[in-house]
Amino acid sequence: MRKWTRNCCVCLTLIVISFFNPIVLADNTESKLQWFRDDKFGLFIHWGPSSIMGVEISWARQDHPYDHPGNGPFVPNEMYDLLYRSFNPVKFDADQWMKLAKEAGFRYVVFTSKHHDGFSMWHTKLRDYNIANTPFERDICRELADAAHKYGLKLGWYYSTRDWSHPDYLVGDNKKYNDFYEGQIRELLTNYGKVDIMWFDHAAGKWRDYTFERLFDMMYSLQGENLLVNNRAARFVKGAKDSPPSQAIQDLVRGDYDTPEQKIGKFQTDRAWESCMTMTKVDGGGWSYRPDGTTISYKETLQTLVHTVTGDGNLLLNVGPLPTGEFPADQVDILKKVGQWLKKHGESIYGTRGGPLPNGKWGGMTQKGNRIYVHILEWPQDGSPLLLGALDKEIISSKGLNVTGPDVKQTSEGIEIKLSAENRAEVDSIIVLNTK
Ligand code: GLC
């Protein structure tokens, strides 16, 4: 057979085969999530001109077009939208932030490039309402991205699609706004080196108002298919009845992981998740600097991390910097303590998966290879041993990771753990089970 005829035959055969067996692209979700599942702990930073007044970022602005009205107290738009003119965080030092993040045991950082108020923390060419036009002038996103890269932290951009001050937002067919916000994302994914996460935060309007396929194509073409995207690119978009999104679009915007907010997610091992939670507790937020809020304790911070990780999730823990550019001092102290703990006991957190038994109020388990780490946060009040469910693996040996003298018994009904009260750890007693 002449070469071209043979080639034609091969082509035809391939066409016929693929017609009957449509090529299914390999789902790379799990492999691209590997670092995320291993790294567990991210630093969330909410920051912007609202910190000057110590009010909640965006939500303190009087008007929230197309959105929940919020609960106030409010700042009139005219005043809120001019705060940037006096934003001058002279003590901002991205290097110091990222150094602290590293010391605290964070492995990635997600920063509010633009919140719902529409202010951009980088030198965007697409809108004047940005950091270049403040007395500070410097490109905060650039400095942060560089410092994160320097310290080996993965980088994520928080980007709010909802934009309460943009004149084109949801006007007409929304084309102008789509071009604008997709253009902004193009800048963020082009000019700041490697970006690992796009962290969206809600939108309003209807499905027909958006061009999500174009957006995702662009993001993957700029940063590669391994870019992780959370599940909020189209969260709260409505109108599925008159303009239903295709299955492909629904799959895209579902993103790579779930994002329970201000609560610890439920035990879930078949889809990745990340709880985002604030260190500042105050009514109506606490994401940005709120001097009227209270800070969670070291114990609560660590317990939150352990409850999350034993549930097979990640924790994105939020700090709201001061208008000076500094982190709240009490939060820095707590984060450093968490870092010290992780330095000693990080093997029971990083690179593990939650389970095998589901977690509960008492604590939970993490696992790595043949090892199970039992994290005990609460012992039975009456002094009786802790009883856990049955494992389908045989325990060969056990020992305390940060405690001495635990007594572990495995029966067909379950596991029984005893540890005298004086030998228990301050927050989390970790017991290692080596299994067959
Ligand atoms: C909610 C809040 C927003 C915050 C976000 C973080 O969407 O509206 O202010 O940035 O949660 O998850």
Side-chain angles (χ1 to χ4, degrees):
M1 216 187 306
R2 295 223 334 246
K3 203 173 167 196
W4 68 268
T5 347
R6 202 174 51 228
N7 284 348
C8 275
C9 283
V10 172
C11 281
L12 250 174
T13 321
L14 281 178
I15 289 169
V16 172
I17 292 177
S18 48
F19 182 77
F20 290 107
N21 294 302
I23 295 166
V24 180
L25 288 177
D27 178 6
N28 70 341
T29 315
E30 272 309 317
S31 69
K32 75 183 203 175
L33 275 166
Q34 192 59 53
W35 73 262
F36 182 80
R37 286 199 178 278
D38 286 345
D39 284 0
K40 307 289 182 201
F41 196 26
L43 171 64
F44 210 1
I45 306 174
H46 275 66
W47 199 34
S50 69
S51 59
I52 295 173
M53 291 185 73
V55 292
E56 190 63 21
I57 190 165
S58 306
W59 290 99
R61 186 183 190 269
Q62 181 79 48
D63 289 330
H64 313 154
Y66 308 102
D67 248 299
H68 193 280
N71 303 316
F74 297 114
V75 177
N77 296 355
E78 311 78 68
M79 190 194 258
Y80 187 101
D81 294 348
L82 287 180
L83 286 173
Y84 76 107
R85 294 209 184 152
S86 33
F87 189 50
N88 195 13
V90 287
K91 293 198 176 150
F92 169 64
D93 180 347
D95 201 87
Q96 218 181 316
W97 282 15
M98 294 302 98
K99 195 163 163 236
L100 168 70
K102 191 87 191 183
E103 197 184 329
F106 292 110
R107 296 273 173 99
Y108 61 101
V109 54
V110 178
F111 180 68
T112 49
S113 61
K114 184 194 89 168
H115 205 259
H116 318 325
D117 59 17
F119 182 77
S120 304
M121 296 289 271
W122 78 99
H123 288 178
T124 177
K125 297 222 160 49
L126 302 173
R127 194 174 176 189
D128 289 340
Y129 189 38
N130 80 69
I131 192 73
N133 296 314
T134 65
F136 192 59
E137 291 178 8
R138 283 155 45 189
D139 186 334
I140 287 174
C141 287
R142 155 124 15 251
E143 294 182 22
L144 258 180
D146 290 349
H149 291 141
K150 172 177 159 191
Y151 286 97
L153 293 156
K154 297 255 187 329
L155 174 68
W157 295 132
Y158 165 108
Y159 185 92
S160 171
T161 305
R162 45 153 83 126
D163 188 320
W164 296 333
S165 65
H166 198 288
D168 299 324
Y169 177 51
L170 292 174
V171 172
D173 60 4
N174 206 34
K175 180 176 180 325
K176 269 179 144 177
Y177 184 72
N178 280 323
D179 290 349
F180 161 75
Y181 97 87
E182 289 178 35
Q184 282 212 311
I185 290 167
R186 177 180 288 282
E187 289 180 340
L188 287 169
L189 297 185
T190 305
N191 302 332
Y192 298 90
K194 176 115 173 66
V195 178
D196 303 282
I197 300 176
M198 263 316 293
W199 211 102
F200 286 103
D201 196 18
H202 305 143
K206 300 199 165 176
W207 286 97
R208 61 160 181 263
D209 296 324
Y210 292 94
T211 43
F212 291 119
E213 230 156 0
R214 189 176 79 169
L215 167 73
F216 276 75
D217 276 356
M218 175 190 72
M219 294 194 297
Y220 292 136
S221 75
L222 293 172
Q223 287 286 334
E225 298 253 324
N226 286 341
L227 175 75
L228 296 183
V229 184
N230 74 348
N231 65 342
R232 296 189 182 182
R235 178 69 73 81
F236 299 155
V237 172
K238 297 192 184 68
K241 265 198 195 133
D242 51 307
S243 58
S246 67
Q247 188 58 48
I249 288 183
Q250 291 178 53
D251 291 347
L252 279 179
V253 301
R254 187 168 176 254
D256 301 302
Y257 60 90
D258 296 338
T259 53
E261 183 177 309
Q262 291 291 40
K263 60 175 183 234
I264 298 162
K266 293 202 189 79
F267 186 81
Q268 171 179 294
T269 56
D270 56 354
R271 178 163 155 90
W273 59 272
E274 176 195 63
S275 275
C276 49
M277 296 176 74
T278 52
M279 287 191 81
T280 301
K281 295 294 170 207
V282 63
D283 259 358
W287 294 101
S288 57
Y289 173 56
R290 293 290 302 268
D292 52 339
T294 52
T295 294
I296 57 169
S297 65
Y298 162 68
K299 184 172 176 189
E300 208 178 332
T301 311
L302 196 53
Q303 286 189 338
T304 304
L305 177 64
V306 171
H307 276 305
T308 308
V309 172
T310 54
D312 208 30
N314 281 26
L315 177 63
L316 185 61
L317 186 67
N318 185 78
V319 169
L322 276 65
T324 53
E326 297 155 297
F327 280 10
D330 56 343
Q331 302 190 358
V332 171
D333 290 346
I334 291 172
L335 292 177
K336 283 188 176 164
K337 252 182 116 179
V338 170
Q340 283 157 14
W341 187 90
L342 279 167
K343 211 170 211 166
K344 285 199 215 131
H345 314 306
E347 66 160 284
S348 67
I349 301 285
Y350 302 119
T352 66
R353 293 294 301 266
L357 297 183
N359 55 358
K361 211 165 159 258
W362 62 274
M365 296 173 161
T366 53
Q367 53 183 326
K368 196 189 282 183
N370 288 334
R371 289 194 138 191
I372 294 173
Y373 299 92
V374 187
H375 294 262
I376 306 166
L377 303 171
E378 267 181 47
W379 292 88
Q381 294 280 327
D382 60 1
S384 58
L386 179 70
L387 298 175
L388 303 173
L391 273 186
D392 59 2
K393 293 174 177 175
E394 189 189 328
I395 301 172
I396 321 171
S397 64
S398 64
K399 63 167 191 183
L401 187 71
N402 60 343
V403 290
T404 46
D407 179 20
V408 178
K409 265 194 213 117
Q410 183 174 32
T411 65
S412 55
E413 271 111 76
I415 310 166
E416 188 187 295
I417 304 179
K418 275 192 216 152
L419 181 64
S420 59
E422 65 277 11
N423 282 347
R424 294 173 191 167
E426 186 196 347
V427 182
D428 177 14
S429 304
I430 310 166
I431 290 149
V432 185
L433 310 177
N434 291 305
T435 62
K436 241 190 187 157

